[in-house]
Amino acid sequence: MKKFLSLISLVFAISVASAQQLPDVKVENAQGKVVSVRSLAQGKPMIIAYWSIACKPCIQELNAINDALEDWRKEAEFEVVAVSVDDARLKASAKAIASARGWEFICVYDENQDL
């Protein structure tokens, strides 16, 4: 668990340092609306986690983040953005997985893998 928290701390620090450098890529949110990646942070630090329905460790990582998220947010204000890199054929499955898992963070779908 300590290694996992250290990794998250590193990702968190990198995200803080490079927030202004995020590309202005358009992705689809869970409601099907196209949004800019830059608009997701809303001025907060952001952890970006890429995942695919074929990557079981990615899904396990997002489950672990979701389980710890409430405690983490008591200590720091930040956003978690899970970016599905599944193509258009698998986007519906990715949305179903995210919904079924009850992830309490932002999920977006980058079917062209632009981000």
Side-chain angles (χ1 to χ4, degrees):
M1 185 66 171
K2 288 182 182 180
K3 287 182 182 179
F4 180 74
L5 290 177
S6 296
L7 174 63
I8 292 301
S9 297
L10 175 63
V11 171
F12 188 71
I14 291 169
S15 296
V16 170
S18 63
Q20 290 83 15
Q21 299 172 4
L22 280 173
D24 192 22
V25 174
K26 307 292 187 221
V27 293
E28 186 177 312
N29 66 13
Q31 293 74 34
K33 181 180 174 188
V34 175
V35 297
S36 168
V37 172
R38 286 184 183 170
S39 71
L40 298 175
Q42 302 171 9
K44 299 178 190 174
M46 181 168 46
I47 296 172
I48 299 175
Y50 295 89
W51 70 286
S52 165
I53 64 171
C55 179
K56 301 306 177 199
C58 299
I59 294 170
Q60 290 174 337
E61 176 184 50
L62 290 171
N63 286 335
I65 290 171
N66 192 64
D67 291 345
L69 193 58
E70 185 177 337
D71 292 334
W72 291 352
R73 285 195 171 148
K74 289 177 185 174
E75 296 186 29
E77 190 173 333
F78 63 96
E79 290 295 338
V80 175
V81 178
V83 180
S84 167
V85 295
D86 293 296
D87 64 19
R89 296 171 298 148
L90 300 173
K91 183 170 57 175
S93 295
K95 285 184 174 185
I97 288 172
S99 177
R101 302 278 177 165
W103 292 337
E104 298 178 17
F105 41 76
I106 301 168
C107 294
V108 295
Y109 305 88
D110 186 14
E111 65 187 47
N112 297 322
Q113 299 177 358
D114 293 328
L115 186 58

